[in-house]
Amino acid sequence: MEKVAVAVLVARQQMKGSGKWAKVEAILRELEDECWAPTAKLRQVANAMEEEMHAGLDSDGGSKLKMLISYVDKLPKGDENGVFYALDLGGTNFRVMRVQLGGKEGVINKESDRVSIPPHLMVGSSHELFDFIAAALAEFIAKEGEDFNLPPGRKRELGFTFSFPVRQLSLASGTLIKWTKGFLIEDAVGQDIVEELKKAMERVGLDMSVTALINDTVGTLARGKYNNPNVIAAVILGTGTNAAYVEKIHAIPKWQGPTPKSGETVINMEWGNFWSSHLPLTEYDQSLDSESLNPGEQIFEKIISGMYLGEIVRRVLCRMAEEASFFGDIIPPKLKIPFILRTHVMLAMHHDTSSDLKVVGSELNDILEVPDSSLEMRKTIVEICDIVASRGARLAAAGIVGILKKLGLDTVKEGEKQQRSVIALDGGVFEGYTKFRNCMESTLKELLGEAAENFAVKLSNGGSGIGAALLAASHSPYRQVHEFVYKMGKVAVAASVVCTAAVCAAAVLVARQQIKGSGKWAKVESILRELEDECWAPTAKLRQVADAMAEEMHAGLDSDGGSKLKMLVSYVDKLPKGDENGVFYALDLGGTNFRVMRVQLGGKEGVINKESDHVSIPPHLMVGSSHELFDFIAAALAKFIAKEGEDFKLPPGRKRELGFTFSFPVRQLSLTSGTLIKWTKGFLIEDAVGQDIVEELKKAMERVGLDMSVTALINDTVGTLARGKYNNPNVIAAVILGTGTNAAYVEKIHAIPKWQGPTPKSGETVINMEWGNFWSSHLPLTEYDQSLDSESLNPGEQIFEKIISGMYLGEIVRRVLIRMAKEASFFGDTIPPNLKSPFILRTPVVSAMHHDISPDLKVVGSKLNDILEICDIVASRGARLAAAGIVGILKKLGRDTVKEGEKQQRSVIALDGGLFEHYTKFRNCLESALKELLGEAADNIVVELSNDGSGIGAALLAASHSQYLQVQES
């Protein structure tokens, strides 16, 4: 880096005094000439687009444009009613969504969950992947409550967005051509992926029909049409690009089959593959294409989409560096890395309006390690960005005009009333790259002339989610769609996971009487009673566990490493009081996607408003550099904030403030600093380990010109405590009972011997216990726990978590059933093959079985009584031990008993996590165990649900630790 700096300083004058700056100018003018797209050329491109559309509609393979028939023949009209679902699968995570439509009132409500796909399922079998997806769908639907009933004969209806290459056969069927994006599941290729999903849903007992199979562009068209009846087409301008539009059936020569009632269908153009000799291509485009994974393909995408714009700029700079010593005698090594100059960086430089182009200088320093650059160099780079972006925007406009030409909507016809035409647009390039968008819109006016008055482009977000649900609604087989309530009769979720229908059904029927007539049933009973004895957690044992918890807490507070409980100091010394005002932000990073959130606090009115975006992290960034990952995150934050509009002004001298939830192992140094100990969850970014991750984020925010301070670094449990405290001043602790488990509570500084530094004004801080690692000889452990632990990735660690959390309860049940199958032929002579798969019996399935109240327990007949008993034993032990852990915290704080003569203080524990929220029997057992252990003190102890600690909780801690004395609404 130092060599580059010296070279730049020396070279600046040398270039001025030589012909090298002239060479820079020559390269720039050459680029400008080659990218020049005057009106006449754009009209040629639009004509070529129209011609290729005709050719692609004539026959498959007749054009570079695939012009795929989507079989969507009924777009939403805006009056749909009812509840519909969406599944959006297009990368390393998928999203399930429920959308409530209220007729003319529009979208009344929407809820969604994002689910990360474990890496082994991306290269496993189709059966395993779709079973995982179906189970997540079932779990999502289970949250709707037991009183949500469907009308008789009515199924739930789903729109399925599948963003992989598919040969569509009908509206609800399509065969997979190939996998992309890191998936390699060979037995799925050539299969109908809707059928694969339907079979998986049947296996988990989920009664849901797949109404439409779509891609995100078709979904964007549906979303736009729902909001505006004049929408005729949709365009995605993001990392990639595509377009879809509504076509008349009589204009599709390759159409086969009966004409739908509407007489039209949506065509998925796949316009990224468009090519014409009229496209203004450069040597940079040609080299980029030849070095790509798909040379000769997706040419249009490679010159207009976000994936490639920054790379074109990099290639121009490379030539300037090589031929004109633009950066001095030494070419910056980073400049040689393909795709290092990503489009969000290009955008930031292009939008720089400072007199000295400070942002350009900062990006050169941070991305290319060029620490000192002249204003002339910066201006040159901005001009390159402008040339490349303008060409892309103008060509995108020409493509849209091509669609309008095909539909006869590009001119004003004398004597005819001109139809209003709207194009729905989505994607980060259109939404976030203002100069690109403005250039595209002005080019459309230039090309359309007076016809432009009847034409508009409108942002249409959420095509892959809401759009898919809307298409499920518009193609619903039910004539009248009503709002309805569910009833979960979900025992079928379970046994078909344990037993594949074909293999096990016969074995179970035959075996039932055989077992009864032999000593094997006695063996089943023996295993069951042994499990019951080993899991038995009477009051006396629970009191021992609570005492051990309190002792370990003391030991962990004395010194680091003195206990299995880490008792980490969070440095949070001011929890929210409920009177905070203003707008605060949260960043929640804990897996293959992250969330950015804005929360508006209204003092005693509480949370007035909240908005959030989920962002998927590209797989290559999970194993790249710290710089790349945090730049991506900072760019997403900047994009999120950009949506607030230009009228969102901060008071003078005021920065936005952020709470950062980082769910990876960190050695916390202060409230706003912590070094990364190690990565988990598939991340492997070596240069970030040992670094202060808050500093990494702050530097990335500076690089994108984002003026924001990080006020608090927390984990989700501390956030849950903050969320609870905001709602109820009596909250003293928080517990997460979900996939994993943890606890945090408020401790006095004088009770923390290992505390170093000055005592905060409040005299207290929040302790992150990391209680999942708790262990005591009093814990009732079984052979199943021991084998599970020894086969885990962390044997001897997280023992408490492995017996009480959602990640493991279903697996313990599976291990008991395996033993019954082996030693007592519980499922007959054949052990169900699926039963041998670790973690196939997930806790939502156990919950569904455990909650079954039907008289016949109809999945596998009388055997289910025993399965239910296993569920009850395992869940009850977990719930009772969780209660004992909570009592341990209360003991440490002296709140577990009623003291004579003292007014008993009310204590509230904030709880979050799917296990507590949705597993009713677990929750009821925990609450009754607390009453059992606390006696008369239980009257003053309450547990309350406290959702979204990692989001709202983080924003609340940004508020309570704000550096500004008076917090006002922005």
Side-chain angles (χ1 to χ4, degrees):
M1 188 168 171
E2 289 178 5
K3 288 181 180 179
V4 174
V6 173
V8 170
L9 288 167
V10 171
R12 188 178 300 156
Q13 294 307 318
Q14 290 178 344
M15 287 177 70
K16 289 288 187 182
S18 69
K20 291 186 175 179
W21 195 260
K23 181 62 177 174
V24 168
E25 286 293 318
I27 293 171
L28 198 56
R29 298 291 72 83
E30 180 188 308
L31 175 70
E32 190 174 38
D33 291 343
E34 290 180 346
C35 287
W36 191 43
T39 308
K41 184 179 279 287
L42 293 179
R43 293 198 194 286
Q44 291 173 320
V45 170
N47 292 338
M49 180 70 77
E50 182 195 10
E51 289 169 13
E52 288 296 311
M53 290 172 71
H54 279 286
L57 291 173
D58 283 344
S59 62
D60 288 331
S63 164
K64 277 280 191 181
L65 295 180
K66 293 194 175 77
M67 303 298 285
L68 303 172
I69 296 169
S70 72
Y71 298 94
V72 169
D73 55 25
K74 292 189 288 285
L75 286 167
K77 297 176 180 178
D79 59 357
E80 289 75 12
N81 269 288
V83 177
F84 297 88
Y85 298 81
L87 168 62
D88 176 16
L89 173 61
T92 55
N93 59 73
F94 61 89
R95 181 170 49 145
V96 291
M97 178 180 281
R98 177 173 51 254
V99 179
Q100 187 176 3
L101 305 176
K104 296 299 183 183
E105 294 178 41
V107 176
I108 297 174
N109 191 24
K110 63 183 174 72
E111 298 174 76
S112 65
D113 274 358
R114 281 188 183 270
V115 183
S116 294
I117 300 173
H120 71 277
L121 293 183
M122 295 171 65
V123 293
S125 70
S126 176
H127 189 108
E128 291 170 329
L129 174 66
F130 283 100
D131 274 4
F132 180 78
I133 293 168
L137 261 171
E139 182 179 354
F140 179 69
I141 286 166
K143 297 176 185 178
E144 291 167 343
E146 295 179 3
D147 59 347
F148 197 92
N149 290 307
L150 286 166
R154 176 70 184 264
K155 282 188 174 186
R156 293 178 180 87
E157 295 173 278
L158 176 83
F160 183 12
T161 303
F162 187 75
S163 299
F164 297 92
V166 162
R167 184 172 292 105
Q168 193 118 7
L169 306 173
S170 69
L171 176 64
S173 64
T175 57
L176 176 63
I177 297 170
K178 65 177 180 179
W179 288 105
T180 56
K181 309 172 190 176
F183 284 75
L184 186 61
I185 304 172
E186 293 181 1
D187 64 350
V189 177
Q191 299 301 310
D192 184 338
I193 48 93
V194 172
E195 280 302 311
E196 294 297 295
L197 176 61
K198 284 162 68 176
K199 287 187 287 187
M201 291 194 294
E202 287 171 12
R203 287 193 290 270
V204 299
L206 184 56
D207 195 23
M208 175 177 270
S209 64
V210 181
T211 308
L213 171 67
I214 65 164
N215 75 346
D216 56 353
T217 318
V218 175
T220 297
L221 178 53
R223 181 72 171 110
K225 189 78 169 177
Y226 183 73
N227 292 333
N228 189 326
N230 295 317
V231 165
I232 56 162
V235 174
I236 302 285
L237 284 167
T239 305
T241 186
N242 194 14
Y245 74 104
V246 183
E247 184 61 274
K248 299 292 184 186
I249 298 297
H250 65 71
I252 311 172
K254 69 181 180 183
W255 176 271
Q256 295 179 345
T259 300
K261 189 176 179 181
S262 66
E264 58 189 26
T265 190
V266 173
I267 297 294
N268 167 23
M269 292 176 60
E270 292 292 337
W271 88 346
N273 205 40
F274 171 67
W275 181 86
S276 162
S277 60
H278 300 297
L279 290 177
L281 301 177
T282 69
E283 65 180 86
Y284 314 105
D285 306 313
Q286 290 161 356
S287 64
L288 187 158
D289 175 55
S290 66
E291 294 166 22
S292 70
L293 295 174
N294 55 347
E297 301 294 318
Q298 299 297 108
I299 300 298
F300 198 50
E301 181 168 86
K302 287 171 184 171
I303 56 177
I304 76 168
S305 78
M307 179 74 180
Y308 300 99
L309 295 179
E311 174 61 8
I312 296 168
V313 171
R314 184 193 71 84
R315 287 171 181 262
V316 177
L317 290 176
C318 264
R319 184 180 168 200
M320 286 183 171
E322 289 168 359
E323 297 182 17
S325 303
F326 187 67
F327 296 101
D329 293 333
I330 298 173
I331 298 172
K334 293 276 187 179
L335 186 63
K336 298 176 182 178
I337 301 173
F339 293 93
I340 193 170
L341 203 61
R342 301 179 67 229
T343 298
H344 71 83
V345 176
M346 172 187 172
L347 176 161
M349 294 193 293
H350 196 182
H351 286 166
D352 188 5
T353 56
S354 60
S355 58
D356 59 352
L357 298 176
K358 180 181 177 182
V359 174
V360 180
S362 175
E363 294 292 357
L364 288 174
N365 182 28
D366 296 335
I367 306 297
L368 300 182
E369 295 184 351
V370 176
D372 192 31
S373 53
S374 69
L375 185 57
E376 291 87 349
M377 290 171 69
R378 297 177 188 183
K379 285 180 177 178
T380 300
I381 290 169
V382 171
E383 192 170 354
I384 296 169
C385 294
D386 190 67
I387 292 168
V388 172
S390 296
R391 178 188 63 166
R394 288 176 69 78
L395 289 173
I400 291 171
V401 172
I403 297 172
L404 294 173
K405 283 179 71 67
K406 171 68 181 70
L407 298 175
L409 299 173
D410 61 318
T411 57
V412 175
K413 297 176 179 67
E414 274 192 48
E416 287 187 19
K417 185 180 179 183
Q418 189 72 4
Q419 183 182 341
R420 178 104 175 135
S421 302
V422 177
I423 307 290
L425 271 116
D426 196 11
V429 172
F430 177 77
E431 188 175 359
Y433 201 154
T434 308
K435 291 200 173 187
F436 186 103
R437 180 174 68 248
N438 292 345
C439 179
M440 190 191 85
E441 291 175 344
S442 66
T443 305
L444 283 167
K445 290 177 183 176
E446 174 187 326
L447 290 170
L448 292 169
E450 59 181 335
E453 294 177 13
N454 297 300
F455 175 80
V457 292
K458 297 284 185 184
L459 182 65
S460 176
N461 285 132
S464 58
I466 295 176
L470 288 169
L471 287 170
S474 64
H475 289 83
S476 171
Y478 306 102
R479 291 187 179 182
Q480 291 185 335
V481 182
H482 299 287
E483 292 180 33
F484 49 85
V485 280
Y486 288 76
K487 181 180 179 182
M488 286 182 52
K490 279 194 14 179
V491 183
V493 169
S496 57
V497 173
V498 175
C499 305
T500 55
V503 177
C504 296
V508 170
L509 289 169
V510 172
R512 188 176 296 157
Q513 295 306 319
Q514 290 178 345
I515 295 177
K516 289 283 189 183
S518 69
K520 290 182 176 178
W521 197 262
K523 182 63 177 175
V524 168
E525 286 294 312
S526 170
I527 293 171
L528 205 52
R529 297 291 71 81
E530 181 186 310
L531 175 70
E532 190 174 37
D533 291 344
E534 290 180 347
C535 287
W536 191 44
T539 309
K541 184 178 279 289
L542 293 180
R543 291 197 195 286
Q544 291 173 320
V545 171
D547 290 343
M549 181 69 78
E551 288 170 15
E552 289 294 311
M553 289 172 72
H554 278 287
L557 292 172
D558 283 345
S559 62
D560 288 331
S563 164
K564 277 281 191 181
L565 296 179
K566 293 194 175 75
M567 303 300 284
L568 302 173
V569 177
S570 72
Y571 299 94
V572 168
D573 56 23
K574 292 190 289 286
L575 285 167
K577 298 177 180 177
D579 59 358
E580 288 76 11
N581 268 290
V583 177
F584 297 89
Y585 298 81
L587 168 62
D588 176 16
L589 173 60
T592 54
N593 58 75
F594 61 89
R595 182 171 50 144
V596 290
M597 178 180 280
R598 177 174 52 255
V599 179
Q600 186 176 6
L601 305 176
K604 296 299 183 184
E605 294 179 41
V607 176
I608 296 175
N609 190 25
K610 64 182 175 73
E611 297 175 77
S612 64
D613 273 357
H614 282 84
V615 183
S616 295
I617 300 173
H620 71 277
L621 293 184
M622 296 170 64
V623 293
S625 71
S626 177
H627 190 110
E628 291 171 328
L629 174 66
F630 283 100
D631 273 6
F632 181 78
I633 293 168
L637 261 171
K639 178 182 172 185
F640 180 71
I641 287 166
K643 295 177 185 178
E644 292 169 342
E646 294 180 5
D647 58 345
F648 193 88
K649 304 290 185 186
L650 288 168
R654 175 73 183 264
K655 281 188 174 186
R656 292 179 176 86
E657 295 176 283
L658 175 84
F660 183 12
T661 304
F662 187 75
S663 299
F664 297 92
V666 162
R667 184 172 291 104
Q668 193 119 4
L669 306 174
S670 70
L671 178 63
T672 57
S673 65
T675 57
L676 177 63
I677 297 170
K678 65 176 180 179
W679 289 105
T680 56
K681 309 172 192 178
F683 284 74
L684 187 60
I685 303 171
E686 293 181 1
D687 65 349
V689 176
Q691 299 301 310
D692 184 338
I693 48 93
V694 173
E695 280 301 311
E696 294 296 295
L697 175 62
K698 283 162 68 177
K699 287 187 288 187
M701 291 194 295
E702 286 171 11
R703 287 192 290 271
V704 300
L706 184 56
D707 195 24
M708 175 178 270
S709 64
V710 181
T711 309
L713 172 66
I714 64 164
N715 75 346
D716 55 354
T717 318
V718 174
T720 298
L721 178 52
R723 181 73 169 110
K725 188 77 169 178
Y726 183 72
N727 292 332
N728 190 327
N730 294 317
V731 165
I732 58 165
V735 174
I736 302 283
L737 285 167
T739 305
T741 185
N742 194 12
Y745 74 104
V746 183
E747 184 60 275
K748 299 293 183 186
I749 298 296
H750 64 72
I752 311 173
K754 68 181 179 183
W755 176 270
Q756 295 179 348
T759 300
K761 189 175 178 182
S762 65
E764 58 190 23
T765 190
V766 173
I767 297 294
N768 167 24
M769 292 176 60
E770 293 292 338
W771 87 345
N773 206 42
F774 170 68
W775 181 86
S776 163
S777 60
H778 300 297
L779 290 176
L781 301 176
T782 69
E783 65 180 88
Y784 314 105
D785 306 313
Q786 290 162 355
S787 64
L788 187 158
D789 176 53
S790 66
E791 295 166 21
S792 71
L793 294 174
N794 55 346
E797 300 295 318
Q798 300 297 106
I799 301 298
F800 198 50
E801 182 168 87
K802 287 171 184 170
I803 56 177
I804 76 168
S805 79
M807 178 75 181
Y808 299 99
L809 295 183
E811 174 61 8
I812 296 168
V813 171
R814 184 193 71 85
R815 287 171 181 262
V816 178
L817 290 175
I818 277 278
R819 185 180 168 201
M820 286 183 170
K822 288 178 178 176
E823 298 182 17
S825 303
F826 186 68
F827 295 101
D829 293 334
T830 305
I831 297 174
N834 276 7
L835 188 61
K836 298 175 183 178
S837 302
F839 293 94
I840 195 170
L841 201 60
R842 299 173 67 229
T843 298
V845 176
V846 171
S847 170
M849 290 193 292
H850 197 182
H851 287 158
D852 183 31
I853 54 172
S854 61
D856 56 355
L857 300 173
K858 59 188 177 183
V859 180
V860 282
S862 61
K863 289 185 182 308
L864 200 57
N865 285 308
D866 300 293
I867 297 176
L868 286 178
E869 192 169 354
I870 297 168
C871 295
D872 190 64
I873 292 168
V874 172
S876 296
R877 177 188 66 166
R880 288 173 67 80
L881 289 173
I886 291 171
V887 172
I889 296 172
L890 294 171
K891 282 179 74 69
K892 171 68 182 70
L893 298 175
R895 299 192 179 200
D896 61 319
T897 57
V898 175
K899 297 176 178 66
E900 272 191 49
E902 287 187 18
K903 185 180 179 182
Q904 190 72 4
Q905 188 175 347
R906 189 159 180 81
S907 302
V908 177
I909 310 292
L911 271 118
D912 195 12
L915 196 59
F916 177 77
E917 186 174 1
H918 303 300
Y919 199 155
T920 309
K921 291 197 174 185
F922 185 101
R923 181 174 68 249
N924 292 344
C925 181
L926 180 148
E927 290 173 345
S928 66
L930 281 171
K931 290 176 182 175
E932 176 187 326
L933 289 168
L934 292 168
E936 60 180 335
D939 293 340
N940 297 298
I941 306 295
V942 178
V943 291
E944 285 184 356
L945 182 65
S946 175
N947 283 132
D948 201 11
S950 58
I952 295 177
L956 289 168
L957 287 169
S960 65
H961 289 83
S962 171
Q963 61 184 301
Y964 306 102
L965 295 175
Q966 292 185 336
V967 181
Q968 299 172 332
E969 291 183 25
S970 294

